[in-house]
Structures are given as structure tokens and as C-alpha cells.
Amino acid sequence: MHLALIMDGNGRWAKKHLQPRIFGHKEGAKKIREITEFCAKSGIKYLSLYAFSTENWKRPKAEVEYLMKLLGEYLVKERQTYLESNIVFKSIGDLSKLSLELQQEIKSLEEQTQEKCNGLTQILALNYGAKDELRRAFIQLSQKGDLQQVQEGEIAQMLDTKGIPDVDMLVRTGGEMRLSNFLLWQSAYAELFFTQTLWPNFSTQELASMLTEFHQRNRRFGGL
């Protein structure tokens, strides 16, 4: 139902090709379409992509500015792809720190695809961090009443992923073996996959192999 991807390795891919980091980000953006369309054809219902974290603001100013520019170009360029491939677009994260122009472009794409599409939902995490998501959720809950009476389901309803099933399978490219503050609540029982492959080199064939292994795993959710 729900596949999550931490798209890591753009900078190292660029370094290997003797190019600046922004070159790697550009190539990584191209890979998103290929993987998204593959997931749509494979029957996956939700695809979450870690595009920009709350910690990414600490990167050099020029790199952050390029990433914001690349995001704006991606949203415009891929609009037709979403519509033609019947893909619903959704964003999660604190969008208030993005430019008004970007916020409007995101909102427009969400509204148009939600109105016209009913296939795969692609979820782009922008200025997203799981700890920040939980912080915002608890602020909302505290405004509603006594926190001692809060149930798990009520917390889930306050998260950015409200109405979306928990992550079944989480993949991280780039060789690192950590979650890096991505969908921590939603990935409590996700099956984890790590690969040395850098994101621009990640292929549909490798993902297909992971999906085969996923279906062979015995998910017990804490039971016997």
C-alpha cells in the first residue's frame, strides 16, 4: 500500500562525476518521474518521497536556493505527467517557510490532481521532519483538551499524513542506514531496505527486486 523513499546520494553522485552538488540534485529530480511511474504501474497506492528536510536548511545558501528553484521547476514541468499518469500529488511538512510562489504552486497542483486523478498518490515531503510533525501535532492536541486522555488514533489524525495508511516498506538509497527523521510514527512497523546505490543510479529493476523480497517477508507486527 505505502512505499517510502529516502532519496540519498545526489551530492556523492555529482562528486563521482566531477560535477558540483547541484548537478546531482538535477539528476536526482529526473529519477523521481521514473520511479513514480513504475510505482503507479505496480499497483502501489502511496509513494512518499523525502525531498527536503527541516535540517536541510543548514546546507550552504547557494545549494538551498538551487533546491528551491529546482522544486519550482519540477512542479511546473511534471504537472502534465501527473495528469496523464492519473497520479494524485500531495505535500507534507511545514510549507510556511517556503516562498509564497512555491506554496501557491504546490496548492494548485494538489487541488488539480485531487480533482482529476484517482491513482497512485505521490507524497512529497518538503521542509519535513518527523519530530517537527509530532511537535505540531501535540500543539494542536493540547489546544483541544486534556492530553492524558489522548488515544493513538487521535495523534495520527493530527499528523501531516492524516488519512494515509502507515508505511509498509521504507527504502533508503546512498548507503546510509538510518531514518534521518523521516516518517518515524508512520514507519513503526515498516520493512526497511538499505542500498549502496546512489539515488540518481537507483533503478526500477532494483526496486522490483526489493518488492519481491518484501512480499517474502513475514510481517508479524509484534505478534508471534
Side-chain angles (χ1 to χ4, degrees):
M1 286 287 287
H2 190 173
L3 168 66
L5 274 167
I6 299 176
M7 307 176 291
D8 193 19
N10 289 339
R12 281 167 286 159
W13 185 90
K15 186 177 180 180
K16 282 189 172 185
H17 289 77
L18 304 179
Q19 296 286 342
R21 288 176 60 85
I22 60 174
F23 188 77
H25 294 310
K26 186 175 182 180
E27 288 301 306
K30 294 178 183 178
K31 181 62 60 173
I32 292 177
R33 177 196 284 191
E34 177 186 343
I35 296 298
T36 299
E37 291 185 332
F38 172 80
C39 289
K41 294 174 183 176
S42 298
I44 293 169
K45 299 299 183 184
Y46 299 90
L47 172 65
S48 292
L49 302 169
Y50 207 6
F52 192 88
S53 76
T54 50
E55 290 74 34
N56 285 158
W57 295 106
K58 300 174 185 176
R59 293 184 176 185
K61 183 180 179 182
E63 182 177 352
V64 171
E65 289 178 347
Y66 180 79
L67 286 169
M68 292 298 110
K69 177 176 178 289
L70 188 62
L71 171 61
E73 292 174 352
Y74 172 85
L75 294 171
V76 172
K77 183 179 179 181
E78 295 301 317
R79 181 182 292 265
Q80 197 59 35
T81 300
Y82 285 112
L83 297 172
E84 291 176 356
S85 300
N86 195 32
I87 295 170
V88 179
F89 172 80
K90 177 178 172 55
S91 65
I92 59 173
D94 181 5
L95 302 184
S96 66
K97 290 191 176 182
L98 304 184
S99 69
L100 288 177
E101 183 180 359
L102 271 179
Q103 291 181 47
Q104 291 168 357
E105 194 65 48
I106 289 167
K107 183 179 179 182
S108 171
L109 185 57
E110 286 181 330
E111 291 177 346
Q112 187 176 16
T113 58
Q114 287 169 13
E115 177 185 348
K116 297 185 177 182
C117 306
N118 59 10
L120 167 78
T121 296
Q122 185 210 66
I123 302 153
L124 211 58
L126 301 166
N127 191 32
Y128 174 88
K131 290 183 178 180
D132 179 68
E133 177 186 34
L134 288 167
R135 178 189 64 82
R136 290 185 280 110
F138 289 138
I139 289 173
Q140 293 183 66
L141 286 167
S142 68
Q143 295 170 347
K144 289 180 173 291
D146 186 1
L147 287 177
Q148 294 185 12
Q149 304 301 319
V150 171
Q151 303 296 313
E152 277 190 21
E154 294 177 84
I155 297 174
Q157 288 298 304
M158 294 296 172
L159 299 178
D160 297 346
T161 52
K162 174 184 176 182
I164 296 171
D166 285 345
V167 176
D168 296 297
M169 175 179 172
L170 188 147
V171 176
R172 180 172 187 149
T173 64
E176 304 292 352
M177 299 180 70
R178 54 178 176 266
L179 298 182
S180 295
N181 200 20
F182 185 47
L183 298 175
L184 299 182
W185 177 281
Q186 299 88 339
S187 299
Y189 281 101
E191 296 295 319
L192 307 181
F193 291 78
F194 300 96
T195 174
Q196 295 292 322
T197 305
L198 303 177
W199 173 247
N201 290 333
F202 190 61
S203 67
T204 56
Q205 291 80 9
E206 185 171 5
L207 178 54
S209 178
M210 290 177 174
L211 287 166
T212 298
E213 181 183 338
F214 169 80
H215 289 296
Q216 294 171 347
R217 292 188 183 183
N218 182 17
R219 304 182 71 200
R220 296 187 297 275
F221 299 95
L224 297 176

PDB file of all heavy atoms in Angstrom, residues 142-153:
ATOM      1  N   SER A 142      -3.053  19.745  22.337  1.00  0.00           N
ATOM      2  CA  SER A 142      -3.101  20.462  23.614  1.00  0.00           C
ATOM      3  C   SER A 142      -4.161  21.547  23.599  1.00  0.00           C
ATOM      4  O   SER A 142      -4.710  21.915  24.646  1.00  0.00           O
ATOM      5  CB  SER A 142      -1.737  21.071  23.930  1.00  0.00           C
ATOM      6  OG  SER A 142      -1.415  22.115  23.034  1.00  0.00           O
ATOM      7  N   GLN A 143      -4.459  22.047  22.413  1.00  0.00           N
ATOM      8  CA  GLN A 143      -5.481  23.084  22.292  1.00  0.00           C
ATOM      9  C   GLN A 143      -6.894  22.508  22.348  1.00  0.00           C
ATOM     10  O   GLN A 143      -7.863  23.244  22.533  1.00  0.00           O
ATOM     11  CB  GLN A 143      -5.274  23.853  20.985  1.00  0.00           C
ATOM     12  CG  GLN A 143      -3.968  24.637  20.940  1.00  0.00           C
ATOM     13  CD  GLN A 143      -3.657  25.195  19.572  1.00  0.00           C
ATOM     14  OE1 GLN A 143      -4.279  24.820  18.575  1.00  0.00           O
ATOM     15  NE2 GLN A 143      -2.692  26.105  19.496  1.00  0.00           N
ATOM     16  N   LYS A 144      -6.982  21.192  22.202  1.00  0.00           N
ATOM     17  CA  LYS A 144      -8.285  20.539  22.193  1.00  0.00           C
ATOM     18  C   LYS A 144      -8.732  20.032  23.565  1.00  0.00           C
ATOM     19  O   LYS A 144      -9.911  19.757  23.787  1.00  0.00           O
ATOM     20  CB  LYS A 144      -8.288  19.370  21.200  1.00  0.00           C
ATOM     21  CG  LYS A 144      -8.247  19.803  19.741  1.00  0.00           C
ATOM     22  CD  LYS A 144      -8.241  18.600  18.823  1.00  0.00           C
ATOM     23  CE  LYS A 144      -8.384  19.016  17.370  1.00  0.00           C
ATOM     24  NZ  LYS A 144      -9.727  19.566  17.063  1.00  0.00           N
ATOM     25  N   GLY A 145      -7.761  19.865  24.486  1.00  0.00           N
ATOM     26  CA  GLY A 145      -8.163  19.366  25.801  1.00  0.00           C
ATOM     27  C   GLY A 145      -7.055  18.639  26.539  1.00  0.00           C
ATOM     28  O   GLY A 145      -5.868  18.876  26.302  1.00  0.00           O
ATOM     29  N   ASP A 146      -7.451  17.730  27.420  1.00  0.00           N
ATOM     30  CA  ASP A 146      -6.541  17.021  28.311  1.00  0.00           C
ATOM     31  C   ASP A 146      -5.709  15.998  27.541  1.00  0.00           C
ATOM     32  O   ASP A 146      -6.235  15.025  26.990  1.00  0.00           O
ATOM     33  CB  ASP A 146      -7.357  16.309  29.400  1.00  0.00           C
ATOM     34  CG  ASP A 146      -6.452  15.678  30.451  1.00  0.00           C
ATOM     35  OD1 ASP A 146      -5.222  15.814  30.347  1.00  0.00           O
ATOM     36  OD2 ASP A 146      -6.998  15.042  31.376  1.00  0.00           O
ATOM     37  N   LEU A 147      -4.392  16.191  27.520  1.00  0.00           N
ATOM     38  CA  LEU A 147      -3.506  15.286  26.796  1.00  0.00           C
ATOM     39  C   LEU A 147      -3.466  13.893  27.418  1.00  0.00           C
ATOM     40  O   LEU A 147      -3.121  12.916  26.752  1.00  0.00           O
ATOM     41  CB  LEU A 147      -2.090  15.862  26.738  1.00  0.00           C
ATOM     42  CG  LEU A 147      -1.874  17.053  25.800  1.00  0.00           C
ATOM     43  CD1 LEU A 147      -0.439  17.564  25.899  1.00  0.00           C
ATOM     44  CD2 LEU A 147      -2.183  16.683  24.364  1.00  0.00           C
ATOM     45  N   GLN A 148      -3.803  13.775  28.699  1.00  0.00           N
ATOM     46  CA  GLN A 148      -3.774  12.467  29.358  1.00  0.00           C
ATOM     47  C   GLN A 148      -4.831  11.521  28.803  1.00  0.00           C
ATOM     48  O   GLN A 148      -4.737  10.307  28.986  1.00  0.00           O
ATOM     49  CB  GLN A 148      -3.966  12.639  30.867  1.00  0.00           C
ATOM     50  CG  GLN A 148      -2.814  13.371  31.542  1.00  0.00           C
ATOM     51  CD  GLN A 148      -2.967  13.423  33.047  1.00  0.00           C
ATOM     52  OE1 GLN A 148      -3.812  12.728  33.623  1.00  0.00           O
ATOM     53  NE2 GLN A 148      -2.154  14.242  33.690  1.00  0.00           N
ATOM     54  N   GLN A 149      -5.822  12.063  28.110  1.00  0.00           N
ATOM     55  CA  GLN A 149      -6.897  11.243  27.554  1.00  0.00           C
ATOM     56  C   GLN A 149      -6.700  10.942  26.071  1.00  0.00           C
ATOM     57  O   GLN A 149      -7.533  10.283  25.449  1.00  0.00           O
ATOM     58  CB  GLN A 149      -8.248  11.968  27.747  1.00  0.00           C
ATOM     59  CG  GLN A 149      -8.562  12.329  29.184  1.00  0.00           C
ATOM     60  CD  GLN A 149      -8.610  11.114  30.090  1.00  0.00           C
ATOM     61  OE1 GLN A 149      -9.139  10.069  29.712  1.00  0.00           O
ATOM     62  NE2 GLN A 149      -8.042  11.230  31.286  1.00  0.00           N
ATOM     63  N   VAL A 150      -5.588  11.398  25.516  1.00  0.00           N
ATOM     64  CA  VAL A 150      -5.361  11.245  24.072  1.00  0.00           C
ATOM     65  C   VAL A 150      -5.094   9.788  23.709  1.00  0.00           C
ATOM     66  O   VAL A 150      -4.320   9.091  24.364  1.00  0.00           O
ATOM     67  CB  VAL A 150      -4.165  12.117  23.622  1.00  0.00           C
ATOM     68  CG1 VAL A 150      -3.772  11.795  22.181  1.00  0.00           C
ATOM     69  CG2 VAL A 150      -4.523  13.590  23.742  1.00  0.00           C
ATOM     70  N   GLN A 151      -5.724   9.333  22.630  1.00  0.00           N
ATOM     71  CA  GLN A 151      -5.523   7.988  22.099  1.00  0.00           C
ATOM     72  C   GLN A 151      -4.606   8.046  20.866  1.00  0.00           C
ATOM     73  O   GLN A 151      -4.453   9.093  20.237  1.00  0.00           O
ATOM     74  CB  GLN A 151      -6.876   7.371  21.699  1.00  0.00           C
ATOM     75  CG  GLN A 151      -7.886   7.316  22.826  1.00  0.00           C
ATOM     76  CD  GLN A 151      -7.429   6.407  23.963  1.00  0.00           C
ATOM     77  OE1 GLN A 151      -6.990   5.286  23.727  1.00  0.00           O
ATOM     78  NE2 GLN A 151      -7.544   6.895  25.193  1.00  0.00           N
ATOM     79  N   GLU A 152      -4.005   6.900  20.536  1.00  0.00           N
ATOM     80  CA  GLU A 152      -3.105   6.847  19.383  1.00  0.00           C
ATOM     81  C   GLU A 152      -3.774   7.360  18.107  1.00  0.00           C
ATOM     82  O   GLU A 152      -3.169   8.083  17.314  1.00  0.00           O
ATOM     83  CB  GLU A 152      -2.619   5.410  19.148  1.00  0.00           C
ATOM     84  CG  GLU A 152      -1.447   5.014  20.002  1.00  0.00           C
ATOM     85  CD  GLU A 152      -0.851   3.680  19.563  1.00  0.00           C
ATOM     86  OE1 GLU A 152      -1.074   3.280  18.396  1.00  0.00           O
ATOM     87  OE2 GLU A 152      -0.173   3.042  20.377  1.00  0.00           O
ATOM     88  N   GLY A 153      -5.019   6.959  17.916  1.00  0.00           N
ATOM     89  CA  GLY A 153      -5.732   7.354  16.708  1.00  0.00           C
ATOM     90  C   GLY A 153      -5.891   8.861  16.594  1.00  0.00           C
ATOM     91  O   GLY A 153      -5.861   9.417  15.484  1.00  0.00           O
TER      92      GLY A 153
END
